[in-house]
Amino acid sequence: TKEFKEIYKERAAQERKNGEMKNFHGLDRAEGYGLRSVSSQTKLTAIAVNLKRIAKIISST
C-alpha cells in the first residue's frame, strides 16, 4: 500500500546508515562487555559518522 511504502522509505534510509556504522566503523562487534560499554561505543560511533558527514558537506561547498 501507499502507507507501507512511505514507512519503508524512511526505514530504508535508517538501515543504510546503520549498515555503514556496522560495516565500516566497527559496530559489528562490541569492543567491551556490558550494556554501558556497548552504549558508549554506539554513541561514539554515531558521533564519528555524523562528523564525517558534516565534514563532507562543508568541504563540498
Side-chain angles (χ1 to χ4, degrees):
T1 65
K2 187 176 182 180
E3 295 169 356
F4 174 78
K5 287 182 181 180
E6 289 177 15
I7 293 171
Y8 186 77
K9 184 177 180 182
E10 184 178 327
R11 179 179 172 203
Q14 296 302 318
E15 289 295 327
R16 261 185 250 119
K17 294 171 186 171
N18 289 337
E20 176 190 352
M21 289 193 292
K22 178 185 167 225
N23 294 324
F24 300 114
H25 297 285
L27 275 186
D28 56 335
R29 188 163 179 95
E31 295 293 323
Y33 295 101
L35 187 59
R36 182 182 236 172
S37 176
V38 173
S39 179
S40 295
Q41 180 183 355
T42 303
K43 290 173 186 173
L44 289 172
T45 302
I47 290 169
V49 170
N50 286 331
L51 287 173
K52 186 173 104 173
R53 289 189 180 119
I54 290 169
K56 184 177 179 181
I57 291 170
I58 290 173
S59 69
S60 68
T61 57

